[in-house]
Amino acid sequence: MSDQQQSPTDESEHQDSSAQRHRGVYLLPNLFTTGALFSGFYAIVAGMNGQFIPASIAIFVSMLLDGLDGRVARMTNTQSAFGAEYDSLADMVSFGVAPALVAYNWLLFDLGKLGFFAAFVFAAGGALRLARFNTQIGSVDKRYFIGLPSPAAAAVVAGLVWTCTEYEFEMNGTGYLVAFYVALCGVLMVSNVLYYSFKDIDFKGKVPFWILAVIALVLGVISISTSTFLWLLFLLYALSGPLLWCWRRFKHRH
């Protein structure tokens, strides 16, 4: 055998090392994920500086970008294990840590250890929610989420901060109520309450004309007071899970 020839084992090792050198990540969906991560990090910094309206808006922007990255990956057939892991880590920052710290710097700080505990319950609930979601992919009914989705929980908290700051509501004496509110959102994320996922809606199919008219009307209403209506929209979604659970229990007993 000459020096120019290679054994099958050497050739296989060369191909493996070449694949390692050329292995990369898909750019487009991970750009959206990076944007969501940036928005979450910006929300944390803005909240630390007392800029609660920009911080809350950044969390909603992160929600929008987070909703796009997965859809872009599926549309362009660029799904990857790396993208899924990166998305989960970004979600933890944007929908677990960011809302907890924004709420803590906004009002919970004045409660001392109780405020710290409430913020931590939310952050821990977000981490546990994401971990459970990742382990249940493909094994549960896709029509429902088990527990309040972390983006919705983040919106419920950020919407409250945004609305109260924008309209300069007097928050004296409401600290304990807000602490319970934030902690409850964390608990709902790790609960077994079912939430409708909207994943069985066919966005490519045809719908009656009135549905498009209703969507236009809703967008118009939201534009009147974006902070308030976004907050109420996600608050209604957060309440829908427990309300439907009570309704099912009532029907089961009767």
Side-chain angles (χ1 to χ4, degrees):
M1 181 181 293
S2 67
D3 293 338
Q4 300 299 323
Q5 292 177 319
Q6 293 179 328
S7 67
T9 302
D10 294 335
E11 184 178 354
S12 176
E13 290 177 353
H14 175 74
Q15 291 176 348
D16 291 342
S17 61
S18 178
Q20 283 288 107
R21 287 196 300 270
H22 291 89
R23 183 176 297 171
V25 296
Y26 294 111
L27 178 61
L28 188 58
N30 289 311
L31 278 178
F32 285 95
T33 304
T34 302
L37 176 61
F38 175 83
S39 297
F41 182 75
Y42 176 85
I44 294 173
V45 175
M48 292 171 61
N49 292 326
Q51 300 174 338
F52 299 115
I53 291 180
S56 302
I57 293 175
I59 291 175
F60 280 95
V61 171
S62 185
M63 287 181 56
L64 177 62
L65 295 173
D66 178 69
L68 289 174
D69 61 1
R71 286 174 172 80
V72 168
R74 288 188 292 271
M75 289 174 60
T76 58
N77 196 27
T78 53
Q79 304 100 316
S80 67
F82 172 86
E85 294 298 329
Y86 186 29
D87 181 66
S88 292
L89 293 173
D91 286 354
M92 179 57 207
V93 174
S94 300
F95 309 132
V97 177
L101 290 181
V102 169
Y104 180 77
N105 286 286
W106 172 58
L107 190 64
L108 299 182
F109 176 81
D110 296 332
L111 300 180
K113 293 181 178 180
L114 179 62
F116 176 86
F117 174 74
F120 175 73
V121 168
F122 184 93
L128 294 170
R129 171 71 179 82
L130 289 167
R132 183 174 67 175
F133 176 79
N134 289 339
T135 59
Q136 291 178 335
I137 293 177
S139 61
V140 295
D141 190 345
K142 70 174 185 177
R143 295 177 301 169
Y144 297 99
F145 294 121
I146 300 178
L148 180 63
S150 57
V156 171
V157 172
L160 175 67
V161 176
W162 185 3
T163 300
C164 293
T165 304
E166 181 176 8
Y167 291 99
E168 300 180 350
F169 290 151
E170 185 63 44
M171 302 302 294
N172 292 337
T174 62
Y176 293 104
L177 184 62
V178 172
F180 175 78
Y181 176 89
V182 172
L184 180 61
C185 289
V187 172
L188 284 175
M189 281 191 281
V190 296
S191 69
N192 290 325
V193 176
L194 298 179
Y195 285 88
Y196 185 54
S197 68
F198 301 99
K199 289 185 178 181
D200 58 345
I201 297 178
D202 183 13
F203 290 98
K204 297 180 181 180
K206 293 184 178 181
V207 296
F209 174 79
W210 64 268
I211 292 182
L212 186 61
V214 169
I215 293 175
L217 178 62
V218 170
L219 292 176
V221 171
I222 290 177
S223 67
I224 298 174
S225 177
T226 304
S227 61
T228 302
F229 284 103
L230 281 178
W231 173 47
L232 292 177
L233 180 66
F234 283 99
L235 182 61
L236 180 62
Y237 179 73
L239 293 174
S240 67
L243 290 176
L244 289 175
W245 180 83
C246 292
W247 173 250
R248 293 189 189 99
R249 291 292 296 266
F250 176 79
K251 288 180 64 177
H252 179 73
R253 290 182 178 179
H254 294 80

